[in-house]
Amino acid sequence: MGKRDVEAGVGGSFYHYTPPPPPIYPPPRESYLSWLVPIIFVVDVALFALTMYENNCPESLDEPAHTCVFFDHLGRFSFEPLHNNPLLGPKTTTLQNMGGLRVELVQEGEWWRLLSCLWLHAGLIHLIANMISLLFMGIRLEEEFGFWRVGPLYVLSGLGGSLMSCVNVLRKQRVGVISVGASGALFGLLGAMLSELITNWTIYANKCSAILSLIVVIALNLAVGLIPGVDSSAHIGGFVSGFLLGFVLLMRPQFGYVSSKYLPPGYKQKSRHKCYQYFFLLLALIALILWYGYGFAELYKSIDTTDRIDLV
């Protein structure tokens, strides 16, 4: 119903009364059930079980079989002795055979290790810590934005973490290092949560408390990288990748936006996004190209240096 003028007489004078436009009743947001994150959880757990099966500590260990942790209860699935792997997991050669990230093998053409390492874990403690983080952050993000945004965010953040891990290994010239774990992808989810808060600033009510609580969580997780043996470069690479991807993949309509099909005549529709959101998106796309380009360039530069033949 459009606007309508109504004439009314009061004391011999007339005035025009324009009733307000009818209220807008857009349909409620449909609930979304997370399914991708639970699948990632199941795949990670299943691959860890497969890794322990392939490891077969009692058969492959040079020491007596009873030195395998929980040998009496787990048999073939028992863990390596704690002096070999304090995280309750397999030996490093098994992780490499299963697809762990090793720079030398990536340089030889096994590029898929940049992604396969995301689904492997060095031990039961490593797996539990990452899966708690995955369920805590991933389900919330998937329910908010759907699998078609969270899926690419997870994989591309993990790729960024793998690239930075390779760059760090090459710089320090640490030969034979095996890197596994979903930490790069999980830190990408953390970074995306921060950029999502920034680019969708207008829809948050308690802005300061939201950003402060998120910064505390990020700081605590980044502090984990200070523990010896933890690949902090993968954490940082994943976080930066996810932070940039959040501006691209997690942009939401500004506060007060309603689709035109739910607007009655007489309403002026707001623009879907604010100018600063498009500005952040453009900057993030440029930064992402430079960020991934830098990682691959360092990797290929190392390949050129390694394969070069000097004539004397």
Side-chain angles (χ1 to χ4, degrees), residues 86-87 121-123 125-127 129-130 161 164-165 168-169 172 174 177-184 186-187 220-237:
L87 297 177
H121 289 84
I125 298 175
H126 188 203
L127 176 70
N130 277 352
M164 291 306 105
S165 177
N168 182 57
V169 169
K172 296 183 178 180
R174 300 166 61 197
V177 174
I178 307 297
S179 179
V180 295
S183 299
L186 295 175
F187 271 85
L220 291 175
N221 280 273
L222 287 175
V224 175
L226 301 177
I227 300 175
V230 175
D231 191 357
S232 59
S233 58
H235 294 178
I236 296 173

Side-chain angles (χ1 to χ4, degrees), residues 88-116:
L88 298 177
K91 59 175 67 71
T92 55
T93 53
T94 303
L95 291 172
Q96 175 180 309
N97 295 336
M98 293 293 294
L101 179 61
R102 183 171 176 177
V103 178
E104 300 93 316
L105 298 179
V106 174
Q107 291 179 332
E108 292 173 5
E110 299 182 9
W111 58 266
W112 45 269
R113 290 181 180 271
L114 293 169
L115 296 175
S116 61

Side-chain angles (χ1 to χ4, degrees), residues 13-33:
S13 63
F14 291 88
Y15 67 93
H16 293 276
Y17 168 70
T18 303
I24 304 172
Y25 296 105
R29 181 178 177 271
E30 295 182 3
S31 59
Y32 179 87
L33 180 64

Side-chain angles (χ1 to χ4, degrees), residues 67-106:
T67 59
C68 296
V69 180
F70 300 134
F71 168 72
D72 295 336
H73 303 283
L74 299 178
R76 182 184 181 118
F77 293 90
S78 56
F79 309 115
E80 290 290 311
L82 295 181
H83 60 267
N84 287 348
N85 189 337
L87 297 177
L88 298 177
K91 59 175 67 71
T92 55
T93 53
T94 303
L95 291 172
Q96 175 180 309
N97 295 336
M98 293 293 294
L101 179 61
R102 183 171 176 177
V103 178
E104 300 93 316
L105 298 179
V106 174

